[in-house]
Amino acid sequence: NDTLCQMTGYSLEELLGRDARMLYPTQEDYDYVGQEKYRQIGEKRIGTVETRWKRKDGRIIDIILSSTPLDPDDLSKGVTFTALAITERKRAEKTLQRQNIYLESLNETALGLMRRTDLRDIFQAILDRTMRFFGTDEGWIFIYHFQDGVFEYKAAMGKRKYEIGSHVEADSGISSEVRRTEQTVLVDDYHVWP
């Protein structure tokens, strides 16, 4: 049908008579859907599975597939199915989940900071919450010393956790970019950052 063609990017002619495997990004996805769907059909006479499809243009989309046998007593007669694209819903769920984590982190940080008096503990608590929010295992907080032109590690986790108290020149690395632009800089892979 037209909706399926729009969803997948394939024409009807490209889909007819072809194995459904062409729609799945991996063999594992394809196998899982087949096994789980038919297991459910055997138990409940209907199978509903959340999965992923790979569009003709290569984009991965999230799908809910529901299948019902044409004849529940004879699966060889085939099944009819409906496919519902849920990519936008999944994206909205991730955004909401991320916002909830953010608000929870802010709340935990605020409560934690009220109980702390040592500045180093405060920095470490802020860093810990920030790293959990961004899902990273390495991070640090610098303080810039204007008179000396250096950054001082005030909190650190990961590879730099032993560098607390040490100094780095302010004219190199990502911190110099932050100082120069006065903007937050997020880097996916620091090792390949220019």
Side-chain angles (χ1 to χ4, degrees):
N1 82 29
D2 291 339
T3 302
L4 184 64
C5 292
Q6 289 174 353
M7 197 182 300
T8 64
Y10 289 100
S11 68
L12 189 57
E13 293 76 26
E14 291 172 305
L15 292 171
L16 284 177
R18 299 282 307 275
D19 189 327
R21 168 63 181 96
M22 69 184 275
L23 295 174
Y24 292 88
T26 67
Q27 185 66 41
E28 291 79 21
D29 288 321
Y30 176 73
D31 292 342
Y32 168 74
V33 169
Q35 293 165 2
E36 181 61 18
K37 184 174 63 170
Y38 284 106
R39 183 192 66 76
Q40 290 180 24
I41 288 172
E43 290 178 8
K44 308 179 221 173
R45 297 186 177 245
I46 188 169
T48 302
V49 180
E50 190 172 307
T51 189
R52 303 174 309 149
W53 277 356
K54 186 174 182 178
R55 289 176 39 88
K56 185 177 180 178
D57 62 13
R59 284 188 297 142
I60 303 297
I61 57 174
D62 296 297
I63 300 290
I64 290 182
L65 280 178
S66 288
S67 300
T68 306
L70 296 172
D71 181 347
D73 297 319
D74 185 1
L75 294 181
S76 68
K77 291 183 178 176
V79 297
T80 182
F81 74 93
T82 58
L84 177 63
I86 58 168
T87 302
E88 290 305 316
R89 186 191 85 189
K90 299 270 290 186
R91 192 172 290 136
E93 286 172 356
K94 279 187 177 182
T95 299
L96 184 59
Q97 182 181 31
R98 193 167 178 87
Q99 288 173 340
N100 285 339
I101 291 170
Y102 174 71
L103 292 173
E104 185 179 296
S105 293
L106 283 177
N107 185 48
E108 287 176 12
T109 301
L111 292 174
L113 293 179
M114 288 190 307
R115 289 182 241 130
R116 298 175 196 269
T117 55
D118 180 55
L119 194 55
R120 185 177 303 190
D121 286 346
I122 292 171
F123 285 138
Q124 200 65 39
I126 291 170
L127 180 61
D128 179 58
R129 299 295 194 282
T130 303
M131 288 175 58
R132 280 197 282 149
F133 177 73
F134 285 106
T136 184
D137 57 356
E138 187 167 349
W140 57 91
I141 294 177
F142 281 143
I143 295 295
Y144 181 62
H145 294 284
F146 288 96
Q147 67 279 8
D148 300 323
V150 295
F151 288 108
E152 179 185 353
Y153 282 94
K154 286 297 190 179
M157 296 177 79
K159 294 178 186 175
R160 291 177 170 80
K161 67 182 175 184
Y162 301 108
E163 297 188 37
I164 295 174
S166 65
H167 297 86
V168 294
E169 294 299 318
D171 60 353
S172 65
I174 194 166
S175 301
S176 68
E177 182 73 9
V178 172
R179 184 177 66 86
R180 186 183 64 75
T181 63
E182 297 183 358
Q183 298 291 317
T184 300
V185 177
L186 296 177
V187 177
D188 289 330
D189 187 348
Y190 186 74
H191 303 299
V192 297
W193 183 75

